[in-house]
Amino acid sequence: MSNNEYGEDKNGVRELSIDDFNLNTKKCVTNQGKSGLIIFYQYWCPHCRNIVPEVVKANKKLKNKHLIMAVHGDNENNNMIFDNFGIMGIPSIKFMNSSGKITKDYDGSRESESFVKFIKNNNNNKNNNNNNKPNKNNNKNNNNKPNKKPNKNNKNNNKNNNNNNKPNKKKPAIQKKKEIVQKKKKVKKNIVLKKKKNKAPVVKKQKKVIKKN
């Protein structure tokens, strides 16, 4: 443990162990809901030692709003962390989002300002993506949904319009009377005609002509 380049008591950058990770979900579980960087290093690597002052400076600039933490590969079981995240070269610097998930590699310059800028930019991108997601609650209350309950006034207006468009089946009383009179006349005519037909034909009697001698 004496070979650690970092430590909260030593320079404010917390050293992580296998207990700080869920290797199945590939997440850091002790990031306190903060985004930041994780430095994967080995104590015997000169490049790893050279960036320590810049890493410490960047962590101070972040003022605990974001975190920079470190994983020393030489510590017990930390080789499992290296294997899980596919660490091949060192130092390896990776961005961790606020849920603790490691999402991308850092490949910028190894200076404190670059570290801080990279963390803030990636954190802002995450916030922007969240803002662009459709709000399910807003969609549920969308005013563009068709109103299933029709307006009663509209119903009455539609009924009136439909009634106006329908032909008027009710005939005026005068027209009715005329039709009744006409029907009666037709009936009378038919009766008269039938009577005429049923009458026996009239046979005219022939006058006997008497011849005079």
Side-chain angles (χ1 to χ4, degrees):
M1 295 291 182
S2 59
N3 292 327
N4 288 347
E5 294 292 339
Y6 302 96
E8 284 185 296
D9 296 334
K10 190 173 183 178
N11 50 30
V13 176
R14 182 154 61 98
E15 285 271 1
L16 302 177
S17 70
I18 197 167
D19 295 330
D20 295 297
F21 291 90
N22 183 331
L23 298 183
N24 293 324
T25 59
K26 293 182 180 292
K27 284 185 177 182
C28 173
V29 294
T30 57
N31 64 317
Q32 302 166 6
K34 297 173 183 178
S35 60
L37 295 178
I38 297 181
I39 315 294
F40 295 87
Y41 78 100
Q42 293 280 8
Y43 77 96
W44 44 260
C45 168
H47 298 294
C48 298
R49 291 196 299 271
N50 288 341
I51 67 168
V52 171
E54 293 299 317
V55 171
V56 172
K57 195 186 295 184
N59 193 47
K60 286 179 181 177
K61 286 180 181 179
L62 292 170
K63 297 178 180 179
N64 208 35
K65 291 180 180 178
H66 305 281
L67 300 173
I68 298 180
M69 300 180 287
V71 178
H72 185 190
D74 200 48
N75 288 347
E76 187 180 1
N77 294 326
N78 279 6
N79 61 314
M80 294 171 66
I81 304 172
F82 271 57
D83 291 342
N84 191 269
F85 291 105
I87 305 301
M88 303 297 289
I90 49 172
S92 184
I93 305 170
K94 294 183 179 288
F95 177 75
M96 169 194 65
N97 63 24
S98 57
S99 68
K101 190 171 181 65
I102 291 175
T103 58
K104 61 168 64 178
D105 293 325
Y106 173 83
D107 56 1
S109 64
R110 294 170 181 177
E111 296 175 354
S112 61
E113 288 182 5
S114 296
F115 292 148
V116 171
K117 188 176 180 180
F118 181 80
I119 292 169
K120 288 183 176 179
N121 284 345
N122 280 281
N123 191 64
N124 289 337
N125 288 340
K126 186 191 173 189
N127 291 335
N128 290 336
N129 290 335
N130 288 336
N131 290 334
N132 291 331
K133 285 183 182 178
N135 191 333
K136 291 182 180 178
N137 293 328
N138 286 342
N139 290 339
K140 283 181 184 177
N141 298 325
N142 198 340
N143 292 328
N144 293 328
K145 281 189 177 181
N147 189 0
K148 291 183 180 178
K149 293 181 179 179
N151 193 329
K152 288 182 180 179
N153 294 332
N154 290 340
K155 262 191 177 180
N156 293 332
N157 289 336
N158 291 336
K159 279 184 182 178
N160 293 335
N161 290 335
N162 292 334
N163 290 336
N164 291 334
N165 294 330
K166 285 181 183 178
N168 191 0
K169 292 182 180 178
K170 291 182 179 180
K171 295 180 180 179
I174 296 170
Q175 191 178 346
K176 273 188 176 182
K177 283 181 180 180
K178 284 183 179 179
E179 287 179 359
I180 291 167
V181 171
Q182 285 175 356
K183 281 181 182 179
K184 283 182 179 180
K185 284 181 179 179
K186 282 182 181 180
V187 171
K188 282 181 181 180
K189 279 183 182 180
N190 291 335
I191 291 169
V192 170
L193 289 172
K194 281 181 182 180
K195 281 182 179 180
K196 283 182 179 180
K197 284 180 183 179
N198 294 331
K199 275 185 180 180
V202 177
V203 178
K204 289 182 180 181
K205 290 182 180 181
Q206 292 182 354
K207 290 181 180 181
K208 287 182 180 182
V209 179
I210 303 170
K211 289 181 180 182
K212 291 181 180 181
N213 293 328

